[in-house]
Amino acid sequence: MTLALPSEARGTVRRGISPRTALAALALALIVALALAAPLIAPFDPLDQDLLALNMPPGPAHWLGTDHMGRDVFSRLVIGARTTLIVGFGGALVAFALGAGFGLVALSFGRWAEAAMFAVIDLVRALPDVLLALLLIVALGAGAGPVVIALGIAFAPFFAYVARATFHRESVKDYVAAARLFGGGRLHVLRLHLAPNLAGGLVTQAAILLPRCVVTESVLSFLGLGSSPDAPTWGRMVADASRYIEVSPHAILAPVIAIIVLTLSLSILGEAVRRGLDPLREMRGGM
Amino acid sequence: MAAVTLSRAFPRLLARLLPVGLALARMAAQAVGIVVIVFLLARLIPGDAVDVKGLEGDLTAAQQSELRHQLGLDRPVAEQMAAWSWRALHGNFGDSIRFGRPVSGMLATAVPETLLFTGLSFAFGLLLAAGVAVGAVTTGNPVLRGLVNFFNVWSVALPTFCVGVVGILVFSIWLNWLPVFGSLVLPVIIIGIDSAGLIVKPLYEELAEAATSAHVRTARAKGLPGWRVTLRHLLPTAVPVTLALSGLVLTSLVAGTITMEVLFGLPGIGSLMLNAIHGRDYPVIQATIVVVAVALVAMNAATDLLHRLIDPRMSS
């Protein structure tokens, strides 16, 4: 007697962790560990300028060389990992809370509230994320805090859409009709029967959006709007080094490779989470 | 008689026109909403255009309030918004604070550059995605199928500015093939591949499904040559999907265009926007963001209408 799963789903469920996913998890763990241990392992102050050692290639003194201001690239990379991770993950977290919260409130108050509040969300969505983030940063000022808020607002609509899609998908099912027959109101049904179904979709959405948040953070930093000059981020390191690309390619390649490894492993892990939580609905998508 | 046919034809005509009207109304509402959002956020900024000027020159308090009155900054926000929108509709976006030139003139030089760049990238991306997807479906070639996944991962995981930096390093500096700045070749290829990656996988899946459908099998069974089956029976099924996905591509083109213009020093609207942000040139910031966002909304509405027009499934 075996459980009769569709053949495709059985393969997905029983496959376990692929080597690709394991490698991605390892890379992410390494980056997080480096970021956590940064103050201990950074051999130099990331802001210290050594004017006698400008644009030094990688060597025993400076493992990844120095940039155009004589700052140690390795130290900046590991210290910068902290800002990059905190702002990227923080943005995703704010987006999750804001989008799911707004969506649930909109769904709790009946059809008109839903229509009106989702019209606002559609409007926010009409602005591309980087443009919206740029606008918010102009209004709030540059820095880590405003970037987290900007990312949160720019990516919140996706979570609200997931909440609405789950709500409407589940509310036509028999168990919801049964709960309604027993006299459960919209709020009761939402809280007791729909909220548990929501978790999977929201977590999947978070896993998919996390790399996009990190990418957007690095784009904003690259454009000079991500953080203050005394807090190095990977995007800002790329921007700073881009004018000296000919004399010190290592200063630009180090953060570029770091960003690519981070976003690549995050998106591989996001895909794994999506498959793991959502094995039967491969193609449903987030909208 | 005529009245009867008219009364029959009218609801049908209405049924066809109503979605078009709704789409246009939605577009207009979104455009108005964008102007409101941009205006309200611009009001959050501490200090206004006059304060910025006051910091640089030595304006007396009386001169400042005089200037504020001239610029209409002492009016209610809603009134300013209406006045600004009315002038913007006539192509007047005010003057740049930093350069004292009309913003419309700056837009007039920047917009064609950006349109050329985004147009080329969009076309290249679409052709690349269609070519790879059609090739992978019709030949079943594992290399082409691998490319479908490769482009997909590329656009998800590789930030365009990182690819741009590596591209400059490899092609301009190490291989010495292309000039670093001003050339469109490298940025168009980068954004093109990025755009292709967004749509190539769904396109491939749709085509793979269409390839097994009855009308394609019939076409093959009656002995049509392979290229004819592809051209007349397979490709038309890809058009609606491509149109549906092009909104996604257009949206991602905005971010890609801004970063590429900054990285490669292209004098388009993205560079204009970024320079204005760094120089706190608010009239320019406001104008560039509104122009880009409204253009995007308009293009999305246009592709949506086109989609409805050619895909009868959409009109139900």
Side-chain angles (χ1 to χ4, degrees), chain A residues 135 223 245-246 252 260 263-264, chain B residues 157-158 165 169 173 278 289:
Chain A
L135 191 59
L223 296 175
I245 188 168
E246 271 183 87
I252 208 164
I260 291 177
T263 51
L264 197 59
Chain B
L158 302 189
V165 162
L169 202 58
I173 293 172
H278 287 303
I289 291 184

Side-chain angles (χ1 to χ4, degrees), chain B residues 267-291:
Chain B
I269 198 165
S271 296
L272 190 62
M273 188 189 294
L274 255 292
N275 283 332
I277 289 175
H278 287 303
R280 311 208 145 255
D281 198 344
Y282 297 119
V284 181
I285 300 176
Q286 203 163 314
T288 47
I289 291 184
V290 167
V291 164

Side-chain angles (χ1 to χ4, degrees), chain A residues 194-209:
Chain A
L194 296 178
N197 280 303
L198 216 54
L202 288 177
V203 170
T204 306
Q205 195 63 29
I208 292 170
L209 285 179

Side-chain angles (χ1 to χ4, degrees), chain A residues 248-262:
Chain A
S248 52
H250 57 272
I252 208 164
L253 278 179
V256 161
I257 291 168
I259 291 171
I260 291 177
V261 169
L262 179 61

